[in-house]
Amino acid sequence: MTVTVLSEVATGAEDLSVWPASTQRLPHGGLAVGGVSLAEVADRFETPAYVLDEGEVRGRCRTYQDAFPAADVLYAAKAFLSRAMVRCVREEGLGLDVCSAGELELAVTAGFPPERIVLHGNAKSPRDLETALRLGVGRIVIDGPSEIARIAAAVGPEGHQKVMVRVVPGVSAGGHDKIRTGTDDQKFGLSLTDGGAQHAISRILGQPQLELTGLHCHIGSQITEVKPYLVALRRMVGLMARIRDTHGVVLPELDMGGGHGIAYRPGEPALDLTALSRRLRAELHKGCAAARLTVPRLLIEPGRAVVGPAGVAVYRVLAVKHTGEKAFVAVDGGMSDNPRPALYGVRYAPRLIGRACTAGPRTATVVGRHCEAGDVLAADVELPGDIHPGDLLAVPVAGAYQLSMASGYNLVGRPAVVAVHGGSARLLVRRETLDDFRSRDVGD
Ligand code: LLP
């Protein structure tokens, strides 16, 4: 597929800063990602479609590897997982963070080395633990006191399992209340403040078949500043020093979780990864030197920042409605493929693609096709005034926590995922069909 690229001057300086780096303008209002026209993707694979720029995913993995040369970077699979994604992450040398038997088994059966996987979860099911032990997962992160005896029993007296402990450091950070996990008022982890973490650690150290390799914390998601990580790290190092003093044990690993924030719209802040790496390292070395502690190996678990900016959602407009002062542009997807605006009030920047636009801009609200008024994808955005059914809308920064949180609402079916790279497109995940729904529906 060849694409003719238009100059910036010919098209106006529209801001593509949150789009994948490979994005190019095409004649007549088109856009290409990974060398593939998005309008052609829509024609060939139908809509809604999620386009994943493989080069962007790999580039982001490399950015992490370069920024954190002395750390283990684990991709958080919950942001988006498919076999191709597993391969990408493995080939780029990252580890993996999973939180269910499903994510774990998909990764391992797609060839991911189990020893490079960390299993999380505040409520691990018997199947999660059985799968983790059967497949030989690298580390299990203990999230609550009741897990200690459970995991020890499942491992058995002759067995051996590396574990970490999820500590709540008492730091509040994150883009929305629902994704803040660093304080004691939420369900994850063991508290540093009330001594729950310290108590759990003594019990784990008393279980010979469990090898405590280190501490873990994940303070929240969509964090755009370095400071909360530094505060958390200081407290974690303090706890590591106390563990050394109390138990004579020097833990070799410290996992600072993920949560690295990205821009969803031009001009929004994103976490500066280079600054994060530099300042985390400095703080770690300073804290360890002060406590005369051997510097632990750092682990981080980014999900969103690896895959979010690599994805673009492509919808077709089904209806345009004007009610009083408001214009509604309804597309063929919605909250079933992207629940994030409804859940966290996230704002996106959709854009018309596939035709030149002659009309001036008009404020419109992009809504989905689902049966509720809260099914809004982007409220009050600027779109061409002549937008009409049949037009294509593309929404950048769609790679994380959209498809992975997609639902079967209204039996619309989850969209296809199409990988683009070097001018060619290939289907990664096919569209969910009525037959898929029917095949699960086994009663009458
Ligand atoms: N590690 C742990 C233990 C986590 O719980 C998470 C995310 C991550 C790493 C990765 O965080 P990230 O780098 O992707 O921010 N559905 C929400 C985000 C929920 C995040 C849950 N845990 C959203 O759409 O914003």
Side-chain angles (χ1 to χ4, degrees):
M1 199 177 300
T2 25
V3 292
T4 319
V5 180
L6 269 197
S7 78
E8 194 86 353
V9 183
T11 54
E14 199 191 16
D15 191 336
L16 294 178
S17 58
V18 298
W19 285 72
S22 71
T23 306
Q24 297 172 309
R25 293 183 172 87
L26 304 177
H28 314 299
L31 276 190
V33 174
V36 180
S37 149
L38 293 179
E40 285 187 36
V41 169
D43 284 345
R44 187 170 149 204
F45 298 97
E46 300 182 347
T47 52
Y50 276 73
V51 175
L52 194 66
D53 182 341
E54 257 186 84
E56 181 78 23
V57 173
R58 287 183 186 271
R60 287 180 170 269
C61 292
R62 285 173 203 164
T63 300
Y64 267 106
Q65 298 284 48
D66 292 347
F68 292 87
D72 286 336
V73 183
L74 315 181
Y75 168 65
K78 67 206 84 184
F80 170 72
L81 197 65
S82 74
R83 289 185 303 128
M85 190 68 197
V86 168
R87 189 171 51 117
C88 230
V89 170
R90 174 172 50 79
E91 287 175 358
E92 295 303 329
L94 274 63
L96 205 61
D97 142 4
V98 300
C99 63
S100 71
E103 290 178 354
L104 174 57
E105 190 122 22
L106 186 125
V108 173
T109 53
F112 205 90
E115 65 278 6
R116 280 170 45 205
I117 304 181
V118 171
L119 174 71
H120 286 285
N122 71 300
K124 298 177 188 76
S125 71
R127 195 165 78 86
D128 292 336
L129 286 183
E130 180 276 316
T131 308
L133 299 180
R134 173 170 50 84
L135 297 178
V137 78
R139 281 146 190 69
I140 299 177
V141 180
I142 293 178
D143 195 283
S146 65
E147 282 188 353
I148 302 166
R150 246 183 100 202
I151 297 173
V155 171
E158 305 305 319
H160 175 258
Q161 176 63 51
K162 289 184 175 170
V163 297
M164 302 185 90
V165 173
R166 178 159 177 170
V167 175
V168 183
V171 176
S172 179
H176 188 278
D177 268 351
K178 289 177 186 156
I179 52 175
R180 292 196 183 110
T181 50
T183 49
D184 287 345
D185 50 0
Q186 51 77 52
K187 68 176 182 173
F188 293 101
L190 288 143
S191 169
L192 187 61
T193 329
D194 75 3
Q198 294 87 321
H199 186 62
I201 287 160
S202 329
R203 284 180 54 214
I204 295 165
L205 291 172
Q207 301 281 347
Q209 64 271 56
L210 302 185
E211 178 189 342
L212 183 63
T213 65
L215 304 183
H216 170 277
C217 71
H218 171 77
I219 54 177
S221 198
Q222 188 57 4
I223 299 167
T224 53
E225 285 176 0
V226 172
K227 197 154 172 243
Y229 288 103
L230 301 180
V231 178
L233 181 125
R234 229 170 278 142
R235 294 186 187 169
M236 299 295 276
V237 169
L239 179 56
M240 289 179 118
R242 287 201 293 285
I243 293 167
R244 188 261 331 262
D245 295 343
T246 317
H247 303 284
V249 172
V250 178
L251 298 176
E253 293 175 346
L254 174 58
D255 185 338
M256 292 302 295
H260 310 162
I262 58 174
Y264 281 88
R265 295 182 302 166
E268 286 180 357
L271 185 64
D272 178 344
L273 295 182
T274 314
L276 177 70
S277 168
R278 185 174 33 83
R279 295 179 63 193
L280 273 181
R281 261 191 92 66
E283 194 66 43
L284 183 61
H285 281 264
K286 194 174 102 191
C288 289
R292 288 193 300 283
L293 195 63
T294 311
V295 176
R297 184 160 181 84
L298 197 63
L299 283 72
I300 53 167
E301 303 171 336
R304 187 195 312 270
V306 171
V307 76
V312 177
V314 181
Y315 301 100
R316 200 168 290 277
V317 175
L318 294 180
V320 177
K321 187 186 282 179
H322 300 273
T323 57
E325 282 302 290
K326 262 190 123 59
F328 290 100
V329 174
V331 298
D332 54 0
M335 66 194 303
S336 65
D337 66 82
N338 183 7
R340 303 192 65 255
L343 278 173
Y344 320 112
V346 179
R347 311 282 311 265
Y348 285 85
R351 178 194 192 283
L352 174 75
I353 51 163
R355 74 166 169 90
C357 129
T358 43
R362 155 158 205 177
T363 304
T365 290
V366 178
V367 294
R369 53 167 301 176
H370 294 283
C371 294
E372 54 186 84
D375 177 23
V376 172
L377 283 176
D380 300 328
V381 290
E382 296 278 284
L383 288 174
D386 63 349
I387 192 149
H388 55 72
D391 275 342
L392 290 171
L393 283 186
V395 186
V397 203
Y401 301 112
Q402 293 188 200
L403 277 181
S404 66
M405 298 204 302
S407 75
Y409 194 26
N410 298 142
L411 302 198
V412 165
R414 287 172 286 179
V417 185
V418 177
V420 291
H421 187 59
S424 58
R426 72 180 206 284
L427 189 62
L428 293 188
V429 184
R430 70 160 172 78
R431 184 175 307 289
E432 194 172 30
T433 64
L434 180 56
D435 280 344
D436 293 321
F437 289 109
R438 273 211 199 97
S439 66
R440 298 180 58 229
D441 187 342
V442 293
D444 54 29

